[in-house]
C-alpha cells in the first residue's frame, strides 16, 4: 500500500459527514431543550419558595454579622483606650464569632445570583479579615514596648549606649586629671571636668523626665514636655560651653594625651546624643508616638466603617430582592416556553441554509487546497480551482500560493546558510548514520559530503574503540535517558589523513514525522586547549625556575594531611631550604645574577630529587621538598645530600666566584602535626635554627625546638605581632586618593593597610609584614580585619561624602566562603550602600585559580559591590582571561606608569591596556602618578 493510499484511508469521516451528524445531534438537543424548558417552568414556582427561605436566612446572617461588628468595635476601644494589658476573652470570642458568621453568610450567598449579593459578601470577607488582622497586630503591639512606642529603640539602642560611652570617657579624664599634680591650670581643668559631670547627669535626667511627661506621669504631656525641653537646653548649652573651654586648654597644650582624647570623644558623643534625642523627641511630639493608637486610627477604624457600610448595603439589597423576586419569576416562566419553541424553528432553518453554504463555499474549496498541498508534498505543481468562491476561500488559495513560494525561497536560503556557516554542521539519524554534511565540516575533517553521507559517525572519530567510548559521542547521543543536548563537549575527532584533534561538539535533537534527527555543530579547539594547558602550567609553576610554586605545595600538603587523618599514619617529611649567600649575590652582582643562581640551584636539586618527591620554590631564595615514604633517618640523609651538593657548588660570574651553601630544616609528619601550617612552621623553625647554628647545616625539628621559638623573635616574631595587632585592633588604614582624569578631582579612595611598630611611633608598610603573614598562614585573618575595618570606615564617612572606597584582598582569600559570609554580614549589619565599595584582588592571585576567582568576584558583584583587578600587567600580561573575570576596574601596575612621559614603549603598553579594558566595558586606574606631566599624558 502506497503512502498516498494510506493517508486516504486514515482520513476517516469527511467534513460533510461530520456536519450531517452535528446537525442531527443539534436537532435532537433542541427538541430536548424545548421539553426541558416546559418542565423547568413548572418547577420555577417551587424554586421561589426555597429562594425566599434562603433570603430569610441571609437576612438573619447579616444581622448576626452586624451585632458582631458592634461588639468588636466596643471591645477594641476598651482594650486600646482603657489601658487593658491584654484583650478580654469576650473580645476574642466576638472575633471568632465574626469569622464564623461571615463564612456562613458567604455560603448562603452562593444560592442567590452572584451579581446581586456574592460580590458584596466576598468584599465584606476581605475587609473583615483585614480588620481582624489589624486587631491582632494591635494585640501584639500592646505586648511589645519597643514596637508600641517607636521612639523606644532610639532611647535604648542609641541614647543609652552614647550616655555610657560619654560617662566612661569623662571618668577616664577625671581620673587622669586627679593623677596629674604639677601643671598649669590644673585646678581649673579638674573643676571643668567635675562641672561637666554634674551638668551631663542633669541633661540625662531631663531627657528621662521628658519621656515620663510624654507618658503622662507628671500631668498634661505637651506642656510638661515643653518645660523639660527648656530645662535640657540650659544644661546642653552649659555642657557645650564646658567642652569648648576644655578644647581651648587642649589647643594650648594644657591637657594630657588621655584628657585630650577624652575631650575629643566627649565632643563627638555629645553631638550624637543631642542628635539622637532630637530624633526621639520628634517621634514623641508626633501624633503617631504610640503605634497601637495609630494602627487603630489608620487601619482598624476605616475597615470597621467599611464593614458597617457593606452590611447596610446588603440589608438594603436583600429587601430589594425580596420585593422583585416573585414578580420576575412569573414573567420569566411565561416567556421561556414561547422563546424556546421559536428558537427551535429558527435553528432548523439555519441548519439547512448553513449546510448548503458549507458544501459549496467551504468544503469543496478546502478539498481543492488539500489536493494542492498533497501535490506540493510530492513535488508536483497543482493550483486549486474554485467554482463558487467566497472571499475567505480565495484568500486561502492566494495564501497557499504565497506560502509555497516562501517555503521554496527559505529552503534555498537555508541551504546557502548551511553551506557557508563558519562551524562544521552535520546531521545523523537514530542509527548513527550521517545524512547531511556542510562545506565547513568538509574542510574540518578533510572529507567530501558524498563520501560520508550514509556512513556511521564513528568515521569521524579515532579508530580505537576505547577512544570512542571515552568520547561518549555515539552512546550518549543515542541514549534516551541521558540529556547531552545544548551542552558543549570537548572530544577527539579524526581527519581523513588520520590526524587526531580536539574539537568542540554541541548536539541538538529534532523529532520529525519519520523519526528523530540529530544535529551536530563542531569546531577545532586545539589552540584553545593548548592555551589552557599553558595557563595551568603558569598557575602551578614558578616562572623563573620552572619548579612547582608555593600554591601547588600548599595544596599538596593539604592532601598529605588529609591522607594522614584518613589513614591514621604516614611517612612524610618536609625539607625547608634557604640559600646562605643569595642576598650577597643579589646585592653585589645584580638581580640577573641572582636569577641565574636560582636556576643553577634548581638544576642541582632536580638532579638529586627522586621522581616521587615534590620540589617547589616558595619565593626568594627559599625552596621546599616534600618527601614521601621516608623515615627520620632517610629524611635527614636526603637533606644532608642536598646540603653537600650545594656546599660543593661554586657560582661563577664575571666578577668572580661565590660559594653558595644552604641551611636546611627538616620536619616529619608526626602524630601531633595537626595542620599543614604546623608542618610548614616546624620546617621553617628548623631552618632558622640551622642558620643560627652557623649556616651550611641540617637541623631536624624536635619537640624541644618549640621552646627555642621565643628566642628567635628577630626572625620569627612576626606571627605574634600580626596576631596581636589583629586581636587588639591596632592596624591602621591609610586613604590613598584616586583622581578622575575628567574632572581633576578626587573621585574615590583606596584603603591601604599599615601596621604600627611595637613602640607605636612609626608605621610599617605592607611589604614589611605581609610576606611573613603569608608565610605563617595569617593572610586570611588580616583580610577579615581589613574587611571589618574598611566597611566601618565607609560607614563612618557616609555622612561626610559620597566617595567610593577600594579594599584590597589577598590571593589567599579568593574563593574563601568564610570571608564572603563576613562581607555579607557586615553589609547587612552596617546598612551600607554596597555601590560605594570596590574589592580588589591582584592579577597574579586571580590567575592562580581563574575559575575560583571568577566565582568569588561574581558573588561580590551580586551583593552590589564593584570589583577591581590590581597590579595588572605584572603577571601573565594576557588579555584572554579578562572577559571571563567579572571586574569593573583594571588597576595598571605602577611599573608601567612611572617614567611614562619619556618612555614610548610604556606609553604603548598603557594605551593598549586602556583600550582593551574599555572595549570590555571596564574602567582603568593608573598607579604611581607622581607628577602633573604624567597626569596630563594619561
Amino acid at each position: 500500500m502506497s503512502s498516498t493510499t494510506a493517508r486516504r484511508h486514515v482520513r476517516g469521516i469527511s467534513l460533510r459527514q461530520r456536519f450531517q451528524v452535528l446537525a442531527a445531534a443539534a436537532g435532537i438537543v433542541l427538541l430536548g431543550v424545548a421539553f426541558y424548558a416546559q418542565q423547568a417552568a413548572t418547577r420555577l414556582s417551587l424554586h421561589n419558595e426555597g429562594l425566599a427561605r434562603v433570603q430569610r436566612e441571609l437576612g438573619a446572617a447579616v444581622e448576626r454579622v452586624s451585632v458582631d461588628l458592634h461588639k468588636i468595635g466596643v471591645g477594641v476601644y476598651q482594650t486600646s483606650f482603657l489601658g487593658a494589658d491584654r484583650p478580654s476573652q469576650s473580645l476574642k470570642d466576638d472575633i471568632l464569632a465574626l469569622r464564623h458568621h461571615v463564612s456562613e453568610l458567604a455560603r448562603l450567598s452562593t444560592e442567590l445570583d452572584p451579581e446581586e449579593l456574592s460580590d458584596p459578601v466576598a468584599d465584606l470577607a476581605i475587609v473583615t479579615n483585614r480588620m481582624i488582622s489589624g486587631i491582632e497586630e494591635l494585640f501584639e503591639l500592646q505586648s511589645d514596648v519597643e514596637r508600641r512606642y517607636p521612639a523606644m529603640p532610639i532611647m535604648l539602642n542609641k541614647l543609652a549606649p552614647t550616655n555610657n560611652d560619654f560617662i566612661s570617657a569623662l571618668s577616664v579624664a577625671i581620673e587622669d586629671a586627679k593623677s596629674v599634680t604639677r601643671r598649669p591650670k590644673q585646678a581649673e581643668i579638674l573643676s571643668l571636668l567635675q562641672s561637666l559631670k554634674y551638668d551631663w547627669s542633669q541633661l540625662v535626667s531631663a531627657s528621662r523626665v521628658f519621656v515620663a511627661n510624654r507618658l503622662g506621669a507628671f500631668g498634661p504631656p505637651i506642656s510638661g514636655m515643653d518645660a523639660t525641653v527648656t530645662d535640657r537646653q540650659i544644661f546642653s548649652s552649659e555642657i557645650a560651653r564646658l567642652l569648648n573651654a576644655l578644647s581651648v586648654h587642649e589647643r594650648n597644650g594644657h591637657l594630657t594625651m588621655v584628657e585630650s582624647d577624652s575631650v575629643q570623644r566627649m565632643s563627638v558623643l555629645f553631638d550624637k546624643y543631642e542628635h539622637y534625642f532630637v530624633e526621639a523627641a520628634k517621634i514623641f511630639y508626633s501624633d503617631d508616638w504610640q503605634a497601637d493608637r495609630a494602627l487603630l486610627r489608620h487601619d482598624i477604624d476605616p475597615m470597621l466603617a467599611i464593614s458597617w457600610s457593606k452590611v447596610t448595603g446588603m440589608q438594603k439589597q436583600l429587601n430589594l430582592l425580596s420585593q422583585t423576586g416573585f414578580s420576575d419569576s412569573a414573567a420569566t416562566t411565561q416567556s421561556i416556553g414561547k422563546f424556546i419553541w421559536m428558537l427551535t424553528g429558527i435553528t432548523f432553518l439555519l441548519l439547512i441554509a448553513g449546510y448548503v453554504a458549507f458544501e459549496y463555499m467551504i468544503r469543496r474549496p478546502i478539498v481543492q487546497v488539500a489536493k494542492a498541498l498533497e501535490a506540493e508534498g510530492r513535488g508536483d505543481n497543482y493550483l486549486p480551482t474554485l467554482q463558487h468562491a467566497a472571499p475567505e476561500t480565495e484568500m486561502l488559495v492566494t495564501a497557499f500560493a504565497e506560502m509555497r513560494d516562501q517555503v521554496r525561497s527559505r529552503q534555498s536560503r537555508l541551504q546557502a546558510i548551511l553551506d557557508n556557516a563558519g562551524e562544521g554542521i552535520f546531521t545523523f539519524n537514530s542509527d548513527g548514520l550521517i545524512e547531511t554534511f556542510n562545506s565547513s565540516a568538509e574542510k574540518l575533517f578533510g572529507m567530501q559530503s558524498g563520501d560520508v553521507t550514509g556512513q556511521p559517525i564513528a568515521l569521524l572519530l579515532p579508530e580505537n574503540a576505547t577512544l570512542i567510548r571515552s568520547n561518549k559521542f555515539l552512546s550518549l547521543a543515542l541514549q534516551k535517558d541521558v540529556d547531552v543536548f545544548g551542552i558543549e563537549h570537548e572530544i577527539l575527532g579524526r581527519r581523513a589523513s588520520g590526524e587526531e584533534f580536539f574539537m568542540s561538539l554541541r548536539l541538538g535533537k529534532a523529532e520529525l514525522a519519520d523519526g528523530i534527527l540529530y544535529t551536530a555543530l563542531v569546531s577545532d579547539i586545539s589552540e584553545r586547549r593548548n592555551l589552557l594547558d599553558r595557563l595551568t602550567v603558569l598557575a602551578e609553576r614558578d616562572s623563573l625556575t620552572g619548579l612547582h610554586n608555593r600554591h601547588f605545595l600548599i595544596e599538596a600538603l593539604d592532601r598529605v594531611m588529609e591522607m594522614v587523618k584518613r589513614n591514621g599514619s604516614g611517612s612524610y617529611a618536609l625539607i625547608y631550604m634557604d640559600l646562605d649567600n643569595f642576598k650577597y649575590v643579589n646585592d653585589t652582582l645584580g638581580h640577573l645574577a641572582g636569577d641565574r643562581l636560582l636556576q643553577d640551584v634548581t638544576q642541582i636539586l632536580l638532579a638529586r630529587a627522586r621522581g616521587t618527591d615534590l620540589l617547589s620554590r616558595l619565593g626568594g631564595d627559599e625552596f621546599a621538598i616534600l618527601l614521601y615514604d621516608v623515615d627520620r633517618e632517610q629524611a635527614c640523609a636526603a637533606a644532608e645530600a642536598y646540603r653537600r651538593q650545594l656546599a660543593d657548588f661554586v657560582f661563577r660570574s664575571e666578577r668572580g666566584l661565590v660559594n653558595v651553601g644552604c641551611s636546611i630544616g627538616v620536619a616529619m609528619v608526626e602524630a601531633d602535626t595537626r595542620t599543614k601550617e604546623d608542618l610548614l612552621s616546624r620546617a621553617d623553625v628548623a631552618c632558622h635554627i640551622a642558620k643560627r647554628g652557623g649556616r651550611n647545616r641540617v637541623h631536624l625539628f624536635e619537640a624541644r625546638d618549640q621552646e627555642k621559638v621565643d628566642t628567635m623573635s628577630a626572625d620569627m616574631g612576626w606571627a605574634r605581632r600580626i596576631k596581636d595587632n589583629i586581636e587588639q585592633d591596632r592596624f591602621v588604614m591609610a586613604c590613598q586618593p584616586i583622581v578622575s582624569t575628567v574632572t581633576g578631582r578626587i573621585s574615590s579612595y583606596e584603603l591601604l593597610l599599615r601596621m604600627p611598630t611595637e613602640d607605636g611611633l612609626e608605621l610599617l608598610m605592607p611589604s614589611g609584614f605581609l610576606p611573613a603573614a603569608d608565610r605563617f598562614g595569617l593572610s586570611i585573618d588580616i583580610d577579615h580585619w581589613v574587611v571589618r575595618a574598611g566597611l566601618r570606615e565607609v560607614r563612618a564617612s557616609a555622612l561626610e561624602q559620597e566617595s567610593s572606597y577600594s579594599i584590597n584582598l589577598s590571593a589567599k582569600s579568593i574563593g574563601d566562603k568564610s570571608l564572603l559570609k563576613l562581607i555579607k554580614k557586615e553589609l547587612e549589619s552596617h546598612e551600607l550602600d554596597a555601590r560605594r565599595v570596590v574589592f580588589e584582588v591582584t592579577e597574579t592571585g586571580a590567575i592562580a585559580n581563574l575559575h575560583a576567582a571568577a566565582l568569588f568576584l561574581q558573588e561580590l558583584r551580586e551583593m552590589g559591590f564593584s570589583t577591581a583587578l590590581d597590579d595588572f600587567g605584572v603577571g601573565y600580561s594576557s588579555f584572554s582571561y579578562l572577559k571571563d573575570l567579572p571586574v569593573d576596574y583594571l588597576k595598571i601596575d605602577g611599573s608601567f606608569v612611572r617614567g611614562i612621559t619619556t618612555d614610548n614603549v610604556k606609553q604603548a603598553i598603557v594605551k593598549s591596556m586602556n583600550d582593551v579594558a574599555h572595549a570590555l566595558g571596564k574602567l582603568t586606574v593608573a598607579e604611581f602618578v607622581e607628577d602633573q606631566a604624567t597626569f596630563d599624558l594619561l
Side-chain angles (χ1 to χ4, degrees), residues 24-45:
I28 295 172
V29 170
L30 286 174
L31 289 174
V33 169
F35 179 78
Y36 175 80
Q38 188 74 31
Q39 298 297 319
T42 304
R43 293 194 297 269
L44 183 60
S45 59

Side-chain angles (χ1 to χ4, degrees), residues 5 213 610 722 850:
T5 305
N213 280 322
R610 299 182 303 173
I722 292 171
L850 189 60

Side-chain angles (χ1 to χ4, degrees), residues 561-622:
M561 300 310 298
E562 187 62 29
M563 285 189 291
V564 170
K565 290 179 181 178
R566 195 163 51 241
N567 301 330
S569 63
S571 301
Y572 306 96
L574 181 64
I575 293 178
Y576 198 104
M577 183 183 304
D578 194 317
L579 302 183
D580 290 336
N581 292 321
F582 175 75
K583 188 175 187 306
Y584 170 80
V585 173
N586 226 23
D587 294 343
T588 59
L589 305 182
H591 292 287
L592 292 179
D595 291 345
R596 190 158 55 85
L597 170 61
L598 293 175
Q599 293 170 342
D600 291 346
V601 169
T602 298
Q603 295 305 316
I604 294 174
L605 298 178
L606 287 172
R608 172 62 181 81
R610 299 182 303 173
T612 58
D613 296 340
L614 174 61
L615 180 59
S616 64
R617 181 189 175 205
L618 300 180
D621 60 341
E622 297 175 340

Side-chain angles (χ1 to χ4, degrees), residues 74-75 133 426 461 475 503 517 589 668 685 707 717 768 891 930:
V74 173
S133 299
F426 64 90
L461 304 174
S475 59
M503 64 180 181
L517 182 68
L589 305 182
M668 301 297 299
V685 168
E707 301 175 0
K891 302 193 72 176
E930 299 173 340

